[in-house]
């Protein structure tokens, strides 16, 4: 199986690691960063959801357009 971004988390931006093995997702509604490993098949494995982005950070949290 793979991973699905949850709309309630408010995925706002994504970035790939330099080696292309990991995907990072900024979740604006939950002020967190999702970390996923990209499998050789292209499937995503969720490794962590790291909380702690400040809600006052530009374009994150309460700053996202609704």
């Amino acid at each position: 199986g793979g991973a699905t971004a949850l709309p309630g988390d408010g995925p706002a931006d994504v970035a790939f690691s330099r080696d292309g093995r990991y995907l990072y997702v900024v979740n604006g509604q939950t002020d967190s960063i999702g970390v996923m490993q990209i499998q050789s098949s292209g499937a995503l494995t969720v490794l962590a959801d790291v909380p702690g982005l400040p809600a006052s950070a530009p374009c994150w949290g309460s700053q996202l357009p609704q």
Side-chain angles (χ1 to χ4, degrees):
T4 302
L6 300 174
D9 287 347
D13 201 0
V14 297
F16 293 92
S17 63
R18 290 184 183 178
D19 63 9
R21 296 176 51 206
Y22 300 94
L23 174 69
Y24 305 97
V25 180
V26 174
N27 299 308
Q29 296 298 320
T30 58
D31 300 322
S32 65
I33 297 175
V35 181
M36 296 172 226
Q37 185 175 29
I38 303 169
Q39 304 300 318
S40 59
S41 66
L44 300 173
T45 301
V46 176
L47 299 178
D49 187 50
V50 182
L53 290 178
S56 61
C59 298
W60 314 128
S62 62
Q63 303 298 316
L64 286 175
Q66 298 297 318

